[in-house]
């Protein structure tokens, strides 16, 4: 049942592609960083699908939004010999602001808060009290071509259950992402 719910949430983003807007697929390399409550690190690969509707919040088009769904697989640095792995499934709305252009290539700042499902109770030598996690993300993205088809992003993500239950070690990642619009 859990697998069905997870698959349905992730694939629901794909159905949005039939509506106006563009659809973007991405692959990220992520590195979890140490923080005050998490002494182990992790690294992972994430794939995502994002729907960018043709909607802007103002006439200049500088502000827009998109819906991002992501599936990540992380491996703990702390227990690599035991294969400590976890999967994270996330869905979140993202706000996007065009900052400036360089030779016709737009540069964006992005921010969003969404929901995530963490597959393991123990990961990177930390006990997580809930599978449900919030995902907070900030990103800086640049288009690699003037048509905006190819994009490179630097992302900072925080996962936490917002103290719904204890313990709540949370963890943070830095990601480098390449995406392509279709």
């Amino acid at each position: 049942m859990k697998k069905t719910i997870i698959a349905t949430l992730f694939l629901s983003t794909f159905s949005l592609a039939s509506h106006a807007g563009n659809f973007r697929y991405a692959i990220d390399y992520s590195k979890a960083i140490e923080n005050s409550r998490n002494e182990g690190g992790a690294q992972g690969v994430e794939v995502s699908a994002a729907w960018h509707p043709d909607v802007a919040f103002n006439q200049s088009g500088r502000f827009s939004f998109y819906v991002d769904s992501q599936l990540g697989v992380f491996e703990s640095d702390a227990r690599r010999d035991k294969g400590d792995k976890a999967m994270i499934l996330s869905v979140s709305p993202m706000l996007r602001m065009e900052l400036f252009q360089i030779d016709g290539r737009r540069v964006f700042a992005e921010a969003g808060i969404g929901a995530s499902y963490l597959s393991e109770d123990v990961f990177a030598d930390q006990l997580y009290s809930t599978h449900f996690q919030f995902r907070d993300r900030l990103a800086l993205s640049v288009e690699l071509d003037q048509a905006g088809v190819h994009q490179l992003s630097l992302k900072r993500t925080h996962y936490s259950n917002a103290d719904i239950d204890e313990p709540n070690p949370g963890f943070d990642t830095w990601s480098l992402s390449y995406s392509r619009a279709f």
Side-chain angles (χ1 to χ4, degrees), residues 95-117:
L95 295 175
R96 179 178 236 211
M97 181 178 81
E98 182 182 327
L99 299 174
F100 54 89
Q101 292 188 15
I102 302 171
D103 294 328
R105 296 174 180 103
R106 298 178 298 172
V107 177
F108 298 97
E110 302 171 349
I113 299 174
S116 296
Y117 176 83

Side-chain angles (χ1 to χ4, degrees), residues 13 49-50 65-70 90-95 111-116 135-137:
T13 302
F65 81 98
Y66 65 95
V67 178
D68 182 56
S69 62
Q70 191 163 36
S90 303
V91 176
S92 59
M94 299 291 293
L95 295 175
I113 299 174
S116 296
R135 179 182 86 166
D136 308 333
R137 171 168 285 161

Side-chain angles (χ1 to χ4, degrees), residues 91-177:
V91 176
S92 59
M94 299 291 293
L95 295 175
R96 179 178 236 211
M97 181 178 81
E98 182 182 327
L99 299 174
F100 54 89
Q101 292 188 15
I102 302 171
D103 294 328
R105 296 174 180 103
R106 298 178 298 172
V107 177
F108 298 97
E110 302 171 349
I113 299 174
S116 296
Y117 176 83
L118 178 63
S119 66
E120 305 300 321
D121 292 332
V122 177
F123 177 64
D125 288 339
Q126 297 291 318
L127 175 63
Y128 291 87
S129 57
T130 63
H131 289 285
F132 173 78
Q133 303 286 311
F134 288 99
R135 179 182 86 166
D136 308 333
R137 171 168 285 161
L138 298 173
L140 188 62
S141 301
V142 61
E143 294 175 339
L144 300 177
D145 60 327
Q146 291 184 356
V149 174
H150 304 276
Q151 182 175 290
L152 192 63
S153 301
L154 179 64
K155 301 174 181 177
R156 173 76 158 82
T157 306
H158 174 72
Y159 295 94
S160 168
N161 74 11
D163 290 327
I164 292 172
D165 199 1
E166 292 292 332
N168 179 29
F171 68 96
D172 302 300
T173 65
W174 281 98
S175 303
L176 185 60
S177 174

